[in-house]
Amino acid sequence: MSSYEPRPRGRASLEVLRAEANDELQTVVHERLLAGEDPWEFMEELPSVDEIVVYLLRADSIAGDNGRAPTAARDYRVLRQIALEYPELTRTVWRLIGRHSSSIDGVRV
């Protein structure tokens, strides 16, 4: 019996990461359609492919830190590092930082 071990994405090319994220997104869409949901009602709430890439890279960082949830400051640093390593994701990272920081009351990062 084998256990699932997630493969860290590390320094994968952005093209590979986007392909993986697109597969994930298409799976979500397919599952929701099979469940009878109306795509006109759920498509707007789904993340973009680049948002999924950032979420996957962030998840790898959390897994690399023994699964500990990051503090707001560490999360900010991780997201900025993603933007530095993948400049094409900079706008997406900053949009996610803006969403995330606006939902945290009184925490400056």
Side-chain angles (χ1 to χ4, degrees), residues 23-96:
D23 288 346
E24 294 284 340
L25 183 58
Q26 294 308 313
T27 299
V28 169
V29 169
H30 181 72
E31 291 295 321
R32 291 183 80 162
L33 289 172
L34 286 177
E37 293 186 51
D38 182 354
W40 287 101
E41 293 180 12
F42 71 79
M43 289 302 285
E44 289 291 320
E45 69 188 40
L46 296 178
S48 70
V49 168
D50 281 353
E51 288 173 337
I52 294 172
V53 169
V54 172
Y55 292 142
L56 291 171
L57 291 168
R58 180 181 174 274
D60 286 347
S61 174
I62 291 169
D65 194 28
N66 296 319
R68 287 183 291 208
T71 64
R74 182 174 185 281
D75 200 34
Y76 178 79
R77 286 191 307 273
V78 166
L79 291 171
R80 285 201 47 187
Q81 187 62 41
I82 290 169
L84 290 171
E85 290 179 21
Y86 299 94
E88 298 93 334
L89 296 175
T90 299
R91 284 187 177 189
T92 301
V93 166
W94 284 108
R95 189 171 51 249
L96 293 174

